[in-house]
Amino acid sequence: MTGLADSVKRAISFISAIVVLCFAVNLSESTSYGADVEQEDLNNMAKEIALLVNEARTEEGLKPLYVVPYLNDMAQIRARECIFDFSHDRPDGSSFASVIDDNLIPYCYAAENIAAGSSTAAGTFNQWKNSPRHWESIMNPDATHMGVGVCYEKNSEYKWYWQQIFIQTWDDDTEISGQYIPEKYEIVPKSDGDLNGDANINSYDYIVLVDYIRKKQEGERVYLNDLQMEAADCFRDGIITESDAKALQRYILGEYDELPYIF
């Protein structure tokens, strides 16, 4: 481990000599919801739900739905409200749709799915899939945009609470600020060894790989998507180890002609 840690320090020192990184930390983004559930985890779960929705719609020949950050925020509010009142009505007795400011999001139709109890996006999605009325909302051919919220409250009845908001705009061509079609992979490697997706294989990729291996060995939370994992497997043996890091380092130094390195 000492050698691995030294490699990380040397690589970071090299990068720091040529790049100045400026960053700000927003403490609100690391708010803990208890029992190792962080806001980043919840955001990833919400994204997974959105991906599952669009994958299912595509399979049925329907257009994918745009995700809107504002609708995600409103869905998060509704998910929190469901902790105390698991209902399609809000705590003040108004409809779920009152959470949407129609001056910001003009819409002619809105629907809501709620679920509780499951700790995974797949499990929650299957709950909705097995409920005709919920599935009808997901498969509505007229829907145009959606938002997803998920929260965890360890001292509540169900602990996990999920919400989807679906809307239809008055005009199918209406663009809502910030709308986007979610992608499964934010980082797409262009070749073996390209872990950060910039199409160059260099010390930046080496740092990503060494940091991944170190955190896995120390039991820390760390994530590479499926494509990054494939690009990191420099020996094509199906596992990511220090050997892959050494192969990547030797390729960067010009000692290996190509990746993956095959004996």
Side-chain angles (χ1 to χ4, degrees):
M1 278 302 298
T2 301
L4 186 60
D6 289 343
S7 295
V8 175
K9 291 178 181 178
R10 287 196 298 271
I12 292 176
S13 296
F14 170 73
I15 296 299
S16 298
I18 59 174
V19 178
V20 177
L21 299 177
C22 298
F23 62 94
V25 177
N26 184 343
L27 294 180
S28 66
E29 292 181 354
S30 61
T31 302
S32 174
Y33 284 78
D36 297 325
V37 181
E38 302 291 332
Q39 186 60 51
E40 182 180 359
D41 297 317
L42 299 176
N43 292 342
N44 287 334
M45 290 175 175
K47 177 183 175 181
E48 187 176 350
I49 286 285
L51 288 167
L52 289 169
V53 166
N54 279 341
E55 287 175 1
R57 288 177 63 88
T58 299
E59 288 176 1
E60 295 299 320
L62 300 175
K63 291 182 179 180
L65 301 181
Y66 288 101
V67 172
V68 180
Y70 171 80
L71 290 180
N72 281 343
D73 291 342
M74 297 306 100
Q76 188 69 20
I77 290 174
R78 285 291 298 132
R80 295 294 299 177
E81 291 177 349
C82 284
I83 295 173
F84 309 101
D85 182 12
F86 190 67
S87 164
H88 289 296
D89 293 328
R90 304 190 67 195
D92 63 2
S94 63
S95 166
F96 75 88
S98 68
V99 76
I100 307 171
D101 184 342
D102 56 10
N103 291 313
L104 295 176
I105 309 287
Y107 65 93
C108 60
Y109 161 87
E112 171 183 76
N113 281 347
I114 58 176
S118 176
S119 62
T120 68
T124 300
F125 189 74
N126 283 333
Q127 288 183 31
W128 288 327
K129 187 173 183 179
N130 292 323
S131 169
R133 293 190 65 181
H134 292 93
W135 194 243
E136 182 180 346
S137 295
I138 291 173
M139 288 296 170
N140 183 352
D142 297 322
T144 55
H145 298 76
M146 68 174 159
V148 183
V150 55
C151 65
Y152 173 83
E153 180 53 64
K154 64 180 178 180
N155 296 319
S156 66
E157 182 177 3
Y158 300 113
K159 294 184 173 56
W160 291 91
Y161 300 83
W162 306 74
Q163 200 268 5
Q164 293 176 307
I165 292 178
F166 301 96
I167 68 163
Q168 177 188 356
T169 55
W170 289 98
D171 185 339
D172 288 346
D173 295 327
T174 298
E175 291 189 11
I176 298 176
S177 177
Q179 70 178 35
Y180 63 94
I181 299 293
E183 297 180 352
K184 186 172 184 179
Y185 300 114
E186 295 181 2
I187 297 177
V188 179
K190 307 301 186 296
S191 64
D192 294 299
D194 176 26
L195 274 67
N196 63 3
D198 66 356
N200 296 306
I201 304 173
N202 51 36
S203 295
Y204 293 98
D205 302 293
Y206 179 69
I207 287 177
V208 172
L209 180 53
V210 172
D211 189 54
Y212 172 84
I213 295 169
R214 177 186 64 80
K215 287 181 177 178
K216 289 288 287 185
Q217 291 175 341
E218 296 179 359
E220 296 182 37
R221 181 186 291 114
V222 63
Y223 173 78
L224 294 178
N225 68 44
D226 294 343
L227 298 180
Q228 287 176 296
M229 291 290 287
E230 183 178 351
D233 188 6
C234 296
F235 274 108
R236 280 294 186 271
D237 58 1
I239 56 175
I240 308 301
T241 66
E242 292 181 34
S243 296
D244 295 294
K246 291 177 181 177
L248 180 58
Q249 182 183 48
R250 290 182 177 179
Y251 176 82
I252 293 170
L253 294 174
E255 296 177 19
Y256 289 165
D257 294 330
E258 61 181 18
L259 290 175
Y261 177 77
I262 308 296
F263 285 106

